[in-house]
Every structure is written in C-alpha cells, then in structure tokens.
Amino acid sequence: MEFHDATGAAVVLPAPPRRIVSLIPSVTESLFALGAGPSVAGCTLYCTEPPEGVATKTRVGGQKNPKLDRIRELGADLVVANVEENVREHVETLRRWGIPVYVTYPRTVAAGIRLVSDLGAVVGLPERGREMAAALEAALDDARSACTGKPASRVFYAIWRGPWMTINRDTYVHDMLALCGGDNVFGRSATRYPEVTLPDVARAAPEVILLPDEPYRFRRAHLADFDAHPDIPAVRGRRVHLVDGKLATWYGPRIAEALRVRPRLIAGE
C-alpha cells in the first residue's frame, strides 16, 4: 500500500509493518494505544509511555542523534519520524538504505487527531485508528462547546529557561491553549519559538503562567523567578502553575485528557 506523509513523500509498504521504530515519544504511546505495541521493535531513550510497554523495547538513541545502524540491525520495516523533532539527513539516510520512513508534523490538535487515524491505517489497524480518532473528535467538540462565549485568559507558556523561550501561534501548543480557553500572549511573535525576558512577560501581562516539566524541566524553585515582578496579573493572582508538559505537546490518545484538564486550570477553577 502507498501512503503520503506530512512532507508529501510517498511511503510504500508491501504489507503491514511488523518491525516498527518510533523516533517520537507521543507516537510510541499512540502505537501502543492502537494495539501495535507488539510490532514496535525500537524507540528512543525519551519514549516513556506506556512504561510497561517500552520497558522491553530496544533503545535507538535520542530524537536528534538516533543510532541509524542499530535501526537497520533491528530489521526495521517502518520508521516513524517528525519534521521538527528529528533530523532530515537521518531520514534521508534511512530511506537510501531502503527503510520506509513516515514523517509526521501536526501543528494543531485537529491534525494530531487525524494522525491517530492515519497511523492506524499505516500500521494495518485502520478500524482501531478511526475509533480512537472519533473519540478524540468528540472530546474536541466538547472542549469547543465549553469555551464558547467565555472570555479567554491571557497565558504565558514557557518552554525554556536561560534564555526564557515560548511559542507563537504556528505551534501545536498554541492551538491546544486556544482550545482550552487560553490567549497566548506571545502568539503574534514572528518566530515560532521566540526568546523573551521576564520584563517582556511583565509587559505582556499574562493572567496565567504555565511552567511545564518538558522540554525544560521546570520545578518549584523556578516559581521564585517571578518574585521580582509582583504586578504581573498571574503572579498577583497566584496563578503560576507547574504543569504536565505532555498535556500540551503530546498528540495522540493524551489529547482527551488535555482537553478535559487544561481548561479548568486556565479558567482558575
């Protein structure tokens, strides 16, 4: 069968893959949720979900520095990669070796849901993929309905510290925040991942500040960074929160939980 990935490349699979290597943690979780766990031969060091599933899988390095020879030695008949998380030269090398690579790039929650259905088709489990996608679509509809008519809360979502970095509107995180009732205060920045200073954040006047545990591992000690800016509405209102980064960045089955939990946090419930 022939599939086309997010880059438009044709991926030809003579049969459903049985030796899959996933180079994206959220895709690894999605493959197990689809029921393709037994076909996963390898994954990255950062693939942590589901713990009992990935515990027995061969680790092939990180997203940016996978051990390509190990992937070939595993007899991979499909590698799943991502435009942003992985390196194009690595994808091209694998393809030159005759290993099919399916590249993903969802930048909205709706695209993340479609990917679940697409992955199901690629790995030979189309019905399960459609079922999962339908359930996630229902959660998306519920989230949209719940936010209709309600004012959005201004949100600063940090992704790094030293320097501080955040996200603009051309990102999956931005779309998730918007669906959950958040107005990204740096959404109109020209770059996807703008560097900002805390005085910049103060001028943006967010009502909610979210500090995730990935990609940067924010911890309780970092809350003190905002003590020098007590007039930020989020600081004044004690709405600076440490949060699970997976709920904002992992597409796949985790979307339903994110759409259920994150709106309440942003709304201050």
Side-chain angles (χ1 to χ4, degrees), residues 86-102:
N86 306 119
V87 179
R88 187 166 83 176
E89 288 75 13
H90 296 158
V91 170
E92 292 172 347
T93 296
L94 292 168
R95 285 176 171 163
R96 281 198 304 272
W97 290 348
I99 300 172
V101 182
Y102 187 85

Side-chain angles (χ1 to χ4, degrees), residues 1 3 5 10-23 27 31 34 36 39-43 60 71-72 74-81 94-95 98-104 118-124:
M1 297 184 68
F3 303 92
D5 68 12
V11 180
V12 178
L13 300 173
R18 291 295 174 260
R19 302 288 295 170
I20 304 170
V21 172
S22 170
L23 298 181
V27 164
L31 290 171
L34 285 165
S39 296
V40 174
C43 58
V60 298
I71 294 173
R72 180 162 59 175
L74 282 171
D77 55 6
L78 177 68
V79 173
V80 186
L94 292 168
R95 285 176 171 163
I99 300 172
V101 182
Y102 187 85
V103 180
T104 66
D118 292 344
L119 280 176
V122 169
V123 302

